[in-house]
């Protein structure tokens, strides 16, 4: 075909009478403008274009119809009447030709649309036929003593199940000896891959089964060649229309990610790739479409947690006896609600699996029902699903979870254990059974992220029931330690409740001076997980010490090679003074770095008024938010109270937990009505308002794996005073008055004297050095505390696990 546009970016087609340049970037079905108005200016100006018979003399360099000037010129040089007739005839003829060209263009578009339909139907047929071969018996569950009942096989479910079965148990496994090297080869190739324009949808993707199949194959079978019609290297003759326009480019994207060798080719084919999408693409939106940050590392990720904000986040008193301490978590819920969104923003397909403790309006029943056996009893579970901010949230529903949101870790030891066993058993099979956007995640290219002891059984089940049996071969698990103090301890006999092969008992057995020989779920999870993450670098170090490891330091040291500290981020949508929904009423106001001084002062006044404290701008307001237990160092505050009330300060404490500490808060308030407020309870709104209205946030935690409140505080221009442990040491650089650097005050041991010293310096700076104070506030607010950096680090861990054999 003759080349009209010299640029390879402009595909061409030639009609009987003329050549027409089709710029696929500005291609519309049913032209909204005359076709030439969509042409790029360069093309319009090109001499080649100027020589086109059809357009010669019609289109100006601005792409407008030129008619007045040439006509006038003719008028001048010839006998008026005849010449004008001739010119008008010519114009008429040209208009007719233009109409014809437009009609042909419409026809061509029609043909392209039909071809596209044809391509997609061929692909889905092929995928479907693959399903038949590999689908496994419906309702199969791989736990012993587990059987499936009453599985409502919706069309969606059916589709999802069979699709994922391409990597399911019955899939013919590839030759093991060839895999590792193939995997390594593939990995090194991918490292060099160029950035390419992969779709990064923000609307719920009706998952393309072909793409999903490809995704799975990334992890499931690196060595399998793609069906020839899906492969960009296919020798099969490309699908072309009569005019020779290559209609097959779409499959390039669906087939595989390009290697370095393909880079040039991909670039030159970009317009055709665009063609696939432009049915719903508006060129103006193109800029918003960025390649996924994860690029070739895109994976299916399932985060499994016992709580997830905003639906469930612990704060209420839990009367658990499974641990030495009462179990109260809260930060875990925040992490489970926010990290997955950041991973999704990087381009991963991400799901959160959590128990359905209540009736969550957003989540709809998928119709899928499974039955799992726990400690000799059958439990039916249902799956509810919602798609929010690019993440699939799947809630596991069973009567054991109902009405537990105020007491997530409550009940007797065996009850809690049974709940967690059921949760983990059901969660590990979610990628097989629960369709999201029409298609299940499948078990290829899949990474689980389990959190704390509650889901530490998941890596164990993944190994014992699947990977040991050659199933879920390409699924990996990472276990995140948010708090090692809670481990799921019990007597050794508890092993028989978790329903595992007997030789697994050694993974759970642990001896320590506190518990003697006992059953320890966290221990088994840490040994079995492919990778371990904890929520700060400082805590990663502390975990390896006998003081910080709470009896698990030996195991953590042995598994140091797979441990990494990643500091938590914060949900900058939820915890942002500029958009905080809790600051829009009752005299509060949203504020930003620009309006910090006025906005924060207004929030402070509103807080004082709401809590019935004297409304004074000059008095420093000190806040504390957290669980009332030994970890959070409330007792250090108690010891410092006599000193504090001697200062001109206001102290606001929000918390719930140990009854004695709750009572202590009430007592402080009664004794110091004009200075102290002790709010006993769990109130997200009040937590936000204290964070905005206080000048100082106190966090004297005895240990703190990461800590979120100090991060929230800094984002709101509230200056932290913290005990330098774990994540607090990582995130609060001490103020240096000589260099005007740092973010707050730290003290190096959990003693009330040290707390008083640090707080004293802080108060002095607040009163005497206003400029320095503002600098502290502004530096805190200017940090990037979002989850994006942490998500990138998590991604590195997941990828390392994926290629670990
Ligand atoms: N009474 C109350 N009312 C309203 N909100 C309240 C509240 N008490 C606490 N919260 C909120 O609960 C969350 C607690 O966050 P923390 O970082 O203190 O987590 P926690 O110690 O529970 O979890 C563990 O996991 C997290 C996440 O990894 C680690 O940061 C942490 O160090 C580790 O101990 C915050 O959002 C806080 O505002």
């Amino acid at each position: 075909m003759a080349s009209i546009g010299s640029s390879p970016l402009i595909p061409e087609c030639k009609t009987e009478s003329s050549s027409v340049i089709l710029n696929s970037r500005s291609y519309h079905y049913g032209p909204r403008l005359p076709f030439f108005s969509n042409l790029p200016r360069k093309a319009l100006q090109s001499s080649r274009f100027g020589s086109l018979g059809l357009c010669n003399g019609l289109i100006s360099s601005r792409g407008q119809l030129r008619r007045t000037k040439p006509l006038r010129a003719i008028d001048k040089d010839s006998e008026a009447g005849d010449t004008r007739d001739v010119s008008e005839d010519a114009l008429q003829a040209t208009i007719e030709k233009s109409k014809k060209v437009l009609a042909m263009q419409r026809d061509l578009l029609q043909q392209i649309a039909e071809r596209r339909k044809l391509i997609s139907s061929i692909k889905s047929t092929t995928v479907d036929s693959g399903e038949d071969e590999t689908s496994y018996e419906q309702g199969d569950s791989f736990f012993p003593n587990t059987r499936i009942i009453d599985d409502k096989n919706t069309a969606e479910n059916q589709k999802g199940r069979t699709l994922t079965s391409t990597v399911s148990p019955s899939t013919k496994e590839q030759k093991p000896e060839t895999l590792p090297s193939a995997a390594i080869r593939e990995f090194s190739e991918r490292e060099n891959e160029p950035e390419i324009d992969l779709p990064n949808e923000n609307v719920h993707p009706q998952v393309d089964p072909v793409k999903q199949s490809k995704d799975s194959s990334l992890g499931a079978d690196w060595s399998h060649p793609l069906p020839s019609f899906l492969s960009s290297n296919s020798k099969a003759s490309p699908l072309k229309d009569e005019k020779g326009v290559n209609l097959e480019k779409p499959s390039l994207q669906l087939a595989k990610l390009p290697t370095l060798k393909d880079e040039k080719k991909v670039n030159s084919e970009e317009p055709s790739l665009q063609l696939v999408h432009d049915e719903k693409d508006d060129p103006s939106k193109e800029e918003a479409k960025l390649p996924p940050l994860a690029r070739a590392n895109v994976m299916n990720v399932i985060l499994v947690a016992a709580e997830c904000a905003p639906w469930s986040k612990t704060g209420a008193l839990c009367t658990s006896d499974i641990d030495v301490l009462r179990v109260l978590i809260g930060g875990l819920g925040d992490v489970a609600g926010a990290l997955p969104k950041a991973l999704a923003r990087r381009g991963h397909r991400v799901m959160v699996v959590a128990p359905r403790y209540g009736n969550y309006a957003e989540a709809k029943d998928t119709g899928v029902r499974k039955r799992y056996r726990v400690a000799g009893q059958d439990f039916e579970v249902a799956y509810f699903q919602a798609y929010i901010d690019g993440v699939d949230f799947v809630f596991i529903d069973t009567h054991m979870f109902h009405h537990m949101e105020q007491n997530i870790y409550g009940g007797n030891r065996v009850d809690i254990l049974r709940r967690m066993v059921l949760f983990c058993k059901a969660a590990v099979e979610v990628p097989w059974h629960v369709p999201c956007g029409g298609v299940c995640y499948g078990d290829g290219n899949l990474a689980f992220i389990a959190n704390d002891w509650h889901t530490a059984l998941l890596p164990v089940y993944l190994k014992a029931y699947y990977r040991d049996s050659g199933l879920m071969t390409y699924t990996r698990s990472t276990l995140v330690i948010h708090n090692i103090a809670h481990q799921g301890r019990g007597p050794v006999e508890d092993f028989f409740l978790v329903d595992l092969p007997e030789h697994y008992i050694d993974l759970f057995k642990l001896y320590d001076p506190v518990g003697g020989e006992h059953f320890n779920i966290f221990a088994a999870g840490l040994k079995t997980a492919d990778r371990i993450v904890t929520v700060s670098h400082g805590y990663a170090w502390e975990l390896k010490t006998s003081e910080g490891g709470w009896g698990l330091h030996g195991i953590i040291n042995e598994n140091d090679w797979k441990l990494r500290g990643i500091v938590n981020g914060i949900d900058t949508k939820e915890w942002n003074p500029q958009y905080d929904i809790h600051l829009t009423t009752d005299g509060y106001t949203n504020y930003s770095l620009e309006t910090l001084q006025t906005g924060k002062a207004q929030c402070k006044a509103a807080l004082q008024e709401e809590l019935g404290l004297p409304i004074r701008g000059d008095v420093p307001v000190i806040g504390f938010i957290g669980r009332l237990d030994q970890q959070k160092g409330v007792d250090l505050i108690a010891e410092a109270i006599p000193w504090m009330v001697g200062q001109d300060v206001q102290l606001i404490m929000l918390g719930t937990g140990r009854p004695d500490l709750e009572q202590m808060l009430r007592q402080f308030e009664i004794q110091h009505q004009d200075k102290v407020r002790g709010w006993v309870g769990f109130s997200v709104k009040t937590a936000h308002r204290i964070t905005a209205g206080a000048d100082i946030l106190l966090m004297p935690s005895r240990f703190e794996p990461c800590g979120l409140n100090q991060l929230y505080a800094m984002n709101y221009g509230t200056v932290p005073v913290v005990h330098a442990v774990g994540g607090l040491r990582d995130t609060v650089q001490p103020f240096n008055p000589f260099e005007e650097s740092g973010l707050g005050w730290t003290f190096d041991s959990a003693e009330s004297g040290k707390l008083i010293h640090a707080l004293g310096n802080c108060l002095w700076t607040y009163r005497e050095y206003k400029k320095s104070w503002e600098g502290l506030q502004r530096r805190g607010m200017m940090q990037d505390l979002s989850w994006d950096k942490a998500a990138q680090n998590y991604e590195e861990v997941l990828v390392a696990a994926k290629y670990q054999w």
Side-chain angles (χ1 to χ4, degrees), residues 685-757:
K685 181 167 84 176
T686 310
H688 280 250
R689 289 179 167 184
I690 294 173
T691 306
D695 298 296
I696 299 159
L697 186 89
L698 200 51
M699 282 188 78
S701 309
R702 288 180 182 279
F703 68 95
E704 195 61 81
C706 177
L708 296 173
N709 287 320
Q710 84 281 10
L711 301 178
Y712 300 146
M714 289 190 279
N715 213 34
Y716 281 67
T718 304
V719 177
V721 177
V722 304
H723 178 205
V725 279
L728 295 176
R729 187 176 42 211
D730 283 8
T731 57
V732 182
Q733 286 80 48
F735 172 57
N736 180 337
F738 305 108
E739 291 175 2
E740 288 292 345
S741 63
L743 300 160
W745 277 265
T746 60
F747 52 99
D748 58 15
S749 66
E751 294 165 41
S752 57
K754 300 253 177 161
L755 185 158
I756 289 168
H757 182 74

Side-chain angles (χ1 to χ4, degrees), residues 12 120 137 139 233 271 327 347 358 405 430-431 520 540 568 596 603 626 647 670 693 698 768 775:
E12 56 179 285
S120 58
E137 210 182 314
N233 298 329
V327 184
E405 63 263 54
V430 163
N520 192 307
N568 286 334
L596 168 66
C603 289
Q647 310 289 310
I670 292 165
L698 200 51
E768 305 297 331

Side-chain angles (χ1 to χ4, degrees), residues 313-314 328-332 334-335 482-483 535 568 575 625-627 631-632 654-656 681-684 687 699 704-709 712:
K313 174 169 158 175
T314 327
L328 273 166
I329 309 293
L332 170 56
D334 286 2
V335 174
H482 298 266
N483 195 335
V535 290
N568 286 334
W575 288 92
I625 303 161
R627 289 180 284 114
Q631 176 190 342
K632 299 296 177 182
L654 167 67
T656 180
F682 195 89
S683 166
V684 173
M699 282 188 78
E704 195 61 81
C706 177
L708 296 173
N709 287 320
Y712 300 146

Side-chain angles (χ1 to χ4, degrees), residues 119-327:
I119 291 168
S120 58
S121 70
I122 292 169
K123 284 171 184 167
S124 48
T125 313
T126 311
V127 171
D128 285 344
S129 60
E131 287 166 15
D132 294 339
E133 278 177 42
T134 55
S135 62
Y136 55 89
E137 210 182 314
Q138 283 180 14
D140 262 1
S141 161
F142 288 84
F143 285 103
N145 307 323
T146 307
R147 60 196 167 78
I148 309 303
I149 58 150
D150 186 24
D151 189 6
K152 290 184 192 166
N153 289 311
T154 59
E156 265 193 350
N157 183 27
Q158 184 73 6
K159 192 176 175 191
R161 180 202 314 284
T162 48
L163 276 170
T164 55
S165 68
T166 54
V167 285
S168 78
S170 58
T171 306
K172 283 171 210 136
E173 294 290 338
Q174 50 281 16
K175 290 179 193 98
E177 65 273 19
T178 64
L179 261 172
S181 59
I184 291 160
R185 201 170 47 245
E186 184 76 5
F187 183 41
S188 54
E189 271 175 22
R190 283 185 190 157
E191 277 187 320
N192 294 323
E193 278 167 10
E195 275 192 40
I196 55 154
D197 188 13
L198 291 172
N200 189 9
E201 305 288 347
N202 272 333
V203 286
H204 194 300
Q206 275 302 311
V207 179
D208 179 346
V210 177
K211 185 173 180 302
Q212 173 65 13
S213 167
K214 179 216 73 171
D215 286 346
S216 294
S217 74
L218 281 177
D221 188 350
W222 291 292
S223 59
H224 278 183
L226 286 154
S228 63
F229 72 94
L230 285 180
S231 165
S232 61
N233 298 329
S234 169
K235 294 274 182 281
S237 59
L239 193 54
K240 290 189 179 184
D241 74 350
E242 306 90 282
K243 314 283 186 248
V245 174
N246 191 344
L247 298 170
E248 211 191 24
K249 298 287 163 38
S251 64
L252 180 73
Q253 183 171 327
L254 294 166
K256 73 175 186 79
L257 299 170
T259 60
L260 199 57
K261 276 180 275 165
D262 296 328
E263 183 172 18
K264 257 185 150 174
K265 197 172 151 206
V266 170
N267 287 340
S268 70
E269 285 165 349
E270 199 182 345
S272 303
L273 285 172
Q274 287 289 333
L275 202 63
V276 198
H277 300 292
D278 62 11
E279 193 163 320
K280 54 180 190 275
D281 280 0
D282 178 349
S284 65
K285 286 182 191 158
E286 264 177 30
E287 276 177 19
K289 281 193 147 195
L290 298 169
L293 294 167
R295 294 199 257 167
N297 291 329
V298 165
M299 299 175 80
N300 293 341
V301 181
I302 301 183
L303 184 142
V304 184
E307 53 184 283
C308 178
W311 296 280
S312 51
K313 174 169 158 175
T314 327
L317 174 67
C318 293
T319 49
S320 149
D321 64 359
I322 197 163
D323 260 322
V324 180
L325 297 170
R326 283 158 192 265
V327 184

Side-chain angles (χ1 to χ4, degrees), residues 490-761:
V492 176
E493 300 76 64
D494 278 0
F495 175 75
F496 301 102
L497 295 172
V498 297
D499 196 16
L500 281 162
E502 212 152 292
H503 65 277
Y504 267 78
I505 195 165
D506 292 337
L507 285 178
F508 290 86
K509 268 191 199 165
L510 188 71
Y511 176 86
D512 71 16
V514 179
E517 184 165 79
H518 67 278
F519 167 82
N520 192 307
I521 291 179
F522 224 150
L526 292 170
K527 290 177 200 165
T528 321
D530 296 297
R531 295 275 152 169
I532 305 169
V533 167
T534 191
V535 290
S536 69
H537 312 289
Y539 197 56
W541 180 83
E542 287 168 17
L543 285 172
K544 291 180 239 168
T545 65
S546 53
E547 296 83 9
W550 293 66
L552 292 176
H553 52 283
I555 292 171
I556 289 169
N557 276 301
E558 280 161 23
N559 290 279
D560 191 25
W561 64 273
K562 61 179 181 182
L563 169 68
R564 176 157 173 194
I566 300 176
V567 175
N568 286 334
I570 64 171
D571 187 331
T572 46
K573 216 163 126 194
E574 287 285 312
W575 288 92
N576 187 332
Q578 211 171 344
Y579 310 110
D580 193 326
I581 53 165
H582 304 293
L583 303 182
T584 54
T585 51
D586 303 329
Y588 291 86
T589 186
N590 291 116
Y591 61 91
S592 62
L593 198 59
E594 286 70 42
T595 56
L596 168 66
Q597 297 312 324
T598 52
K600 196 158 173 65
Q602 188 177 328
C603 289
K604 179 170 169 176
L607 182 67
Q608 289 168 327
E609 186 176 7
E610 186 179 0
L611 300 182
L613 286 165
I615 302 171
R616 285 176 51 200
D618 61 332
V619 64
V621 173
I622 304 165
F624 168 90
I625 303 161
R627 289 180 284 114
L628 301 179
D629 71 9
Q630 203 240 11
Q631 176 190 342
K632 299 296 177 182
V634 196
D635 53 322
L636 297 182
I637 301 180
E639 285 172 30
I641 281 277
W643 174 83
M644 269 198 242
V645 295
Q647 310 289 310
D648 186 18
V649 298
Q650 293 176 351
L651 173 65
I652 300 168
M653 297 179 72
L654 167 67
T656 180
R658 257 171 48 186
D660 58 324
L661 295 175
E662 290 184 347
Q663 188 50 35
M664 191 179 75
L665 245 61
R666 293 191 189 98
Q667 204 58 35
F668 289 158
E669 178 170 331
I670 292 165
Q671 288 168 353
H672 309 286
Q673 267 292 329
D674 57 334
K675 287 190 174 171
V676 179
R677 287 293 171 273
W679 180 310
V680 174
F682 195 89
S683 166
V684 173
K685 181 167 84 176
T686 310
H688 280 250
R689 289 179 167 184
I690 294 173
T691 306
D695 298 296
I696 299 159
L697 186 89
L698 200 51
M699 282 188 78
S701 309
R702 288 180 182 279
F703 68 95
E704 195 61 81
C706 177
L708 296 173
N709 287 320
Q710 84 281 10
L711 301 178
Y712 300 146
M714 289 190 279
N715 213 34
Y716 281 67
T718 304
V719 177
V721 177
V722 304
H723 178 205
V725 279
L728 295 176
R729 187 176 42 211
D730 283 8
T731 57
V732 182
Q733 286 80 48
F735 172 57
N736 180 337
F738 305 108
E739 291 175 2
E740 288 292 345
S741 63
L743 300 160
W745 277 265
T746 60
F747 52 99
D748 58 15
S749 66
E751 294 165 41
S752 57
K754 300 253 177 161
L755 185 158
I756 289 168
H757 182 74
L759 188 55
N761 282 334

